[in-house]
Amino acid sequence: SSYLFELDGYAEDERLMPEGKGDPTFPVSYFRFDGSVPDFTVKSDINDPDQLVFLESYVEKAYFIVYSALNDNRFYTFDPTYTTLILQPDSTPQETIGQVIDLQSLVDVYILYELCCNPDVGWSSFYVGLDMTPKGEKKLIFEAPWDFDSAFGIRRSYEMYDLPFESNFTNPWLDLFRDEPWFQEMVKEKWQKLRAHHVPEKALQMILDYSSCYKLNYLDNYRQWSARIIYGNHEVVDEVNVNKTQEDAALYMYQWLEGRIRWLDEQWN
């Protein structure tokens, strides 16, 4: 089977839905992780309770493999059934972790979430895939980025771009790799490729290109959610609030992202 599942701050709500109408969920015990982490919600079809048991076991053991390789220099791998761990003394952290994680997918989401400063992935909206079909890689794939309403400096308290994005590191998977030299080298190498293909510049230009295309939609958004944005907890910064035009908001986003790119160049060059 193939699975898509979400680190989900609302997993408990799914579990408590009447008549079992919510999506299936499963917990994970993170080895030596100091922090409270929500359960996962499964977004793909589950036809047998044993699938949930397997999924929980795989994810928990995969995290143990990663943690042990990075912190204890003990290298484990799955047995052919992917239910039991086997110690393999002759290995390296990168080789060991690469057997259970699609490392390039992790590099990609690491860069994305660092670039846009998305604090939600510390507690929700963090998607992982696992393809256990005969042609599948049978590794955790970090994919389907989603939920950016708190990103790009538009959410109060998250607007600064001149500091490391520490909110990401409340995520148990990203936290493992923030100080790992070989992984950070992979991040830097991918960032340089993105820069060589002018991806950041293209993103900035796209903001300008679309800055006046949806003026009415921009106003409708505030009419629809005014109670939350204006009269509630004042979630968004003044630069993109209700009294601003779409062009105002686009300029703010452009300047914020340009500054963030400049800061990441300093870190990853």
Side-chain angles (χ1 to χ4, degrees):
S1 296
S2 297
Y3 305 97
L4 179 68
F5 42 102
E6 174 195 5
L7 184 70
D8 186 6
Y10 301 99
E12 183 70 11
D13 296 338
E14 297 287 348
R15 228 178 356 257
L16 296 178
M17 286 189 69
E19 302 177 7
K21 293 182 178 179
D23 290 330
T25 66
F26 66 92
V28 170
S29 296
Y30 294 95
F31 187 67
R32 295 184 189 171
F33 181 75
D34 184 18
S36 176
V37 185
D39 293 345
F40 280 102
T41 297
V42 184
K43 300 301 181 179
S44 50
D45 291 336
I46 294 292
N47 304 309
D48 187 323
D50 287 343
Q51 289 179 280
L52 271 183
V53 174
F54 172 81
L55 199 50
E56 177 183 344
S57 172
Y58 184 102
V59 176
E60 196 164 289
K61 287 181 172 63
Y63 188 87
F64 176 80
I65 289 173
V66 175
Y67 185 97
S68 298
L70 292 178
N71 294 278
D72 299 331
N73 282 320
R74 290 179 65 83
F75 308 119
Y76 295 89
T77 187
F78 280 111
D79 75 343
T81 68
Y82 294 91
T83 58
T84 302
L85 298 185
I86 302 171
L87 188 63
Q88 47 175 8
D90 297 325
S91 188
T92 66
Q94 187 170 356
E95 179 182 352
T96 298
I97 295 167
Q99 294 175 6
V100 295
I101 285 181
D102 182 320
L103 283 171
Q104 195 55 61
S105 73
L106 184 60
V107 167
D108 291 344
V109 298
Y110 190 98
I111 290 174
L112 175 62
Y113 293 135
E114 188 69 63
L115 173 63
C116 67
C117 292
N118 187 359
D120 282 341
V121 297
W123 74 285
S124 198
S125 306
F126 185 76
Y127 283 86
V128 188
L130 176 64
D131 186 353
M132 296 300 296
T133 63
K135 293 184 178 180
E137 291 190 352
K138 301 173 180 62
K139 301 178 182 181
L140 297 178
I141 303 173
F142 297 88
E143 56 185 337
W146 178 76
D147 194 2
F148 293 89
D149 63 319
S150 298
F152 297 105
I154 66 171
R155 190 76 170 265
R156 292 186 186 277
S157 302
Y158 301 137
E159 60 266 37
M160 297 303 294
Y161 55 73
D162 56 350
L163 294 172
F165 178 40
E166 296 178 356
S167 296
N168 260 356
F169 304 142
T170 60
N171 180 295
W173 298 92
L174 300 179
D175 179 75
L176 286 172
F177 293 92
R178 62 175 173 173
D179 297 319
E180 190 58 36
W182 60 264
F183 181 79
Q184 291 300 324
E185 285 303 313
M186 291 182 67
V187 169
K188 293 176 182 178
E189 181 180 352
K190 184 59 178 286
W191 179 252
Q192 295 307 315
K193 288 182 179 179
L194 294 172
R195 293 301 261 141
H197 288 85
H198 307 290
V199 173
E201 290 87 349
K202 292 176 182 177
L204 290 170
Q205 186 60 47
M206 187 175 67
I207 296 174
L208 298 180
D209 292 343
Y210 287 94
S211 63
S212 59
C213 293
Y214 302 100
K215 294 180 180 180
L216 295 179
N217 305 79
Y218 187 85
L219 295 175
D220 286 342
N221 178 67
Y222 282 101
R223 294 190 186 102
Q224 177 69 28
W225 305 108
S226 60
R228 182 172 182 179
I229 296 170
I230 306 169
Y231 306 111
N233 55 5
H234 300 280
E235 290 185 346
V236 299
V237 296
D238 292 338
E239 287 83 355
V240 297
N241 217 318
V242 67
N243 295 320
K244 302 294 183 178
T245 66
Q246 186 196 358
E247 291 95 328
D248 294 331
L251 179 60
Y252 171 76
M253 184 177 183
Y254 181 97
Q255 292 173 337
W256 184 93
L257 187 58
E258 185 181 43
R260 186 67 185 172
I261 292 168
R262 190 166 56 248
W263 185 84
L264 289 176
D265 274 337
E266 296 174 1
Q267 313 307 309
W268 291 339
N269 273 336

